[in-house]
Amino acid sequence: MEKQVVEGNDNNRKPKHKGKHDKPKPWDDDPNIDRWTIQKFDSSWNEGGMLEVSAFSTLFPRYREKYLQEAWPSVKSALKEFGIACDLDLVKGQMTVSTTRKTRDPYIIMKARDLIKLLSRSVPAPQAIKILQDEMNCDVIKIQGLVRNKDRFIKRRQRLVGPNSSTLKALEILTGCYILVQGYTVAAMGSFKGLKQVRRVVEDCMLNQMHPVYHVKVLMIKKELEKDPTLANENWDRFLPKFKKKNVKQKKAKVTEKKPYTPFPPSQQPRKLDIELETGEYFLSEKKKTAKKWEDKMEKQAEKTAENKRKREAAFIPPKEPVKQDSDKNEDDVTAMAASLKKKSKEFKNKKSTDNINAEDYIAASGEKRSKKKAKHS
């Protein structure tokens, strides 16, 4: 009985919390509170301001200097609302943002850093200022090191943009992100989910793993599947298309012919010193050696220049024109041809007349004539 009472008391006890502050709060089980919403920052949360000055700076290319100089007042006024100071140094070619005493939001300096980064990557100022909003994020994807060949890099980058920027617009609509392809980077702005999709599409395109058009098809199917609440907890792989590469170049296996086995080792190759002794270069002075090297170099250079000159001049050589035949010769040829045709036609007629003669008819006709003559005589 005692054991049963003890077990009953243990079941009624509340679970202990190890931490000092890890205690149940009255708002933990409140159904009216949505913990996923991002609340807008209130300056009353940090009335004391920042203790230390934080600053970020980034360089910008020379071709952006004129545009930044024109758009800097709007950028400065946008950052002033959040208590951020900004500076544009045209001599050093850099932009700097830093916190001030009026700064209250501790994370706004990170947003300001992203702002100057986007401005340096040719994003328009009105679009780049949107990064200061809480729900907006950015990602600068580096694509320079993904492809080694320059021509191949340009083709794949153009594949990402598409004809008349159609592929890029489709990706922007499906992902809900702003995308800008500039130089060796791709700048994207939007939600975290959209940025993740954009990065995957860009990397697959540059690494030649999947064409962006196929990604667009997959994203369109996913967007339609999201509307169906019955498929929320199911796997969508059966609905998504599976694309396979068809033009994969397979490496041909190198066939190495086995040489006949010989027990004797190959003959030793002559050393550089032995070759110099044979040619007599070994006994020349350093000055003569350098002079000979220079002469050989000049000979090769002269041959190369002559060959290049010949190639350049080949473009200016006119093509050979067809030789015109004389009119007299043409007339003689025509008369000769007419005479030969007449001769051939006569021969053909004679031949035809001989072919039409039937020997039996001729014999029969001659027999009848003779019999008539005999009848007259009788």
Side-chain angles (χ1 to χ4, degrees):
M1 289 292 288
E2 289 178 1
K3 286 183 181 179
Q4 289 177 358
V5 171
V6 171
E7 286 176 1
N9 292 334
D10 290 340
N11 292 331
N12 294 330
R13 285 178 187 172
K14 292 181 181 179
K16 289 185 178 181
H17 297 278
K18 290 183 180 179
K20 185 179 179 182
H21 304 287
D22 191 11
K23 294 178 181 179
K25 311 291 191 300
W27 54 83
D28 284 347
D29 301 322
D30 192 355
N32 298 323
I33 297 172
D34 188 6
R35 292 171 181 78
W36 292 102
T37 54
I38 300 169
Q39 296 181 3
K40 196 174 180 180
F41 183 79
D42 191 2
S43 57
S44 61
W45 297 350
N46 186 18
E47 293 179 353
M50 311 297 289
L51 297 174
E52 294 289 338
V53 176
S54 301
F56 291 100
S57 62
T58 185
L59 300 171
F60 59 86
R62 189 175 290 177
Y63 63 84
R64 290 288 289 169
E65 186 177 326
K66 189 178 179 182
Y67 177 78
L68 289 172
Q69 207 169 356
E70 293 173 358
W72 197 249
S74 61
V75 175
K76 199 170 185 178
S77 62
L79 290 170
K80 194 176 181 182
E81 294 177 7
F82 298 95
I84 297 290
C86 58
D87 180 40
L88 178 66
D89 193 347
L90 299 174
V91 178
K92 294 180 180 178
Q94 68 176 12
M95 295 176 283
T96 310
V97 288
S98 59
T99 56
T100 60
R101 291 182 180 180
K102 294 180 181 179
T103 309
R104 294 290 177 268
D105 188 357
Y107 191 72
I108 197 66
I109 188 64
M110 307 302 289
K111 293 277 188 179
R113 179 200 63 181
D114 293 340
L115 170 62
I116 58 173
K117 194 193 293 183
L118 291 168
L119 287 170
S120 66
R121 294 315 308 150
S122 300
V123 177
Q127 179 66 34
I129 288 168
K130 292 179 183 178
I131 197 66
L132 298 173
Q133 300 171 8
D134 289 336
E135 63 274 3
M136 189 67 70
N137 303 285
C138 76
D139 188 12
V140 179
I141 306 159
K142 294 180 181 179
I143 56 174
Q144 185 177 8
L146 298 177
V147 186
R148 288 185 180 180
N149 192 351
K150 192 175 181 181
D151 296 333
R152 201 174 293 163
F153 171 81
I154 292 165
K155 283 181 182 178
R156 290 181 188 175
R157 186 180 63 182
Q158 186 58 34
R159 190 186 298 169
L160 186 65
V161 177
N164 298 324
S165 304
S166 57
T167 310
L168 204 66
K169 286 174 186 174
L171 287 170
E172 284 182 352
I173 292 164
L174 291 167
T175 58
C177 296
Y178 170 82
I179 306 168
L180 178 72
V181 181
Q182 172 69 20
Y184 295 116
T185 57
V186 178
M189 291 175 63
S191 62
F192 283 118
K193 186 182 177 182
L195 293 175
K196 192 177 178 182
Q197 290 172 344
V198 170
R199 178 173 276 276
R200 188 181 174 190
V201 172
V202 171
E203 287 179 353
D204 284 357
C205 176
M206 297 308 294
L207 294 170
N208 202 25
Q209 291 178 356
M210 191 186 285
H211 199 280
V213 173
Y214 297 146
H215 272 294
V216 168
K217 288 182 180 179
V218 171
L219 290 170
M220 286 171 71
I221 293 165
K222 283 183 178 179
K223 202 166 187 180
E224 291 297 321
L225 292 170
E226 283 175 2
K227 296 175 183 177
D228 193 354
T230 57
L231 299 171
N233 298 322
E234 291 187 17
N235 191 6
W236 292 351
D237 288 344
R238 55 199 172 102
F239 300 109
L240 301 177
K242 292 178 182 178
F243 304 103
K244 290 182 180 179
K245 276 186 167 183
K246 292 181 182 178
N247 56 347
V248 179
K249 291 182 180 179
Q250 295 180 353
K251 289 184 179 179
K252 293 180 180 179
K254 291 182 180 179
V255 180
T256 54
E257 295 180 358
K258 288 186 177 180
K259 294 179 181 179
Y261 174 73
T262 53
F264 305 104
S267 59
Q268 189 177 358
Q269 295 295 325
R271 297 178 299 166
K272 193 176 181 181
L273 186 65
D274 297 336
I275 295 166
E276 286 181 357
L277 285 167
E278 285 178 7
T279 56
E281 291 181 15
Y282 181 76
F283 304 102
L284 295 174
S285 62
E286 290 292 329
K287 194 174 182 181
K288 288 183 179 179
K289 283 182 181 179
T290 52
K292 192 176 180 182
K293 282 181 182 178
W294 177 254
E295 285 176 6
D296 294 340
K297 189 178 179 182
M298 293 304 291
E299 283 177 7
K300 287 180 182 178
Q301 192 174 352
E303 288 175 4
K304 194 73 177 174
T305 50
E307 189 181 349
N308 291 337
K309 189 178 179 182
R310 189 169 61 255
K311 285 179 181 178
R312 286 196 299 272
E313 288 176 352
F316 299 101
I317 297 170
K320 290 183 180 179
E321 295 180 359
V323 181
K324 293 183 179 179
Q325 295 181 351
D326 297 335
S327 60
D328 297 335
K329 288 183 179 179
N330 290 336
E331 288 176 3
D332 295 340
D333 293 341
V334 170
T335 53
M337 193 182 293
S340 64
L341 286 168
K342 283 179 182 179
K343 191 177 179 181
K344 283 181 181 178
S345 64
K346 283 180 182 179
E347 288 175 359
F348 182 73
K349 283 178 182 178
N350 294 332
K351 190 178 179 183
K352 195 174 182 183
S353 62
T354 54
D355 291 343
N356 291 334
I357 295 168
N358 194 353
E360 293 178 359
D361 295 342
Y362 183 76
I363 292 161
S366 61
E368 287 174 3
K369 286 177 182 178
R370 283 176 185 178
S371 61
K372 286 177 180 179
K373 285 178 181 179
K374 284 179 181 180
K376 282 180 182 180
H377 287 293
S378 59

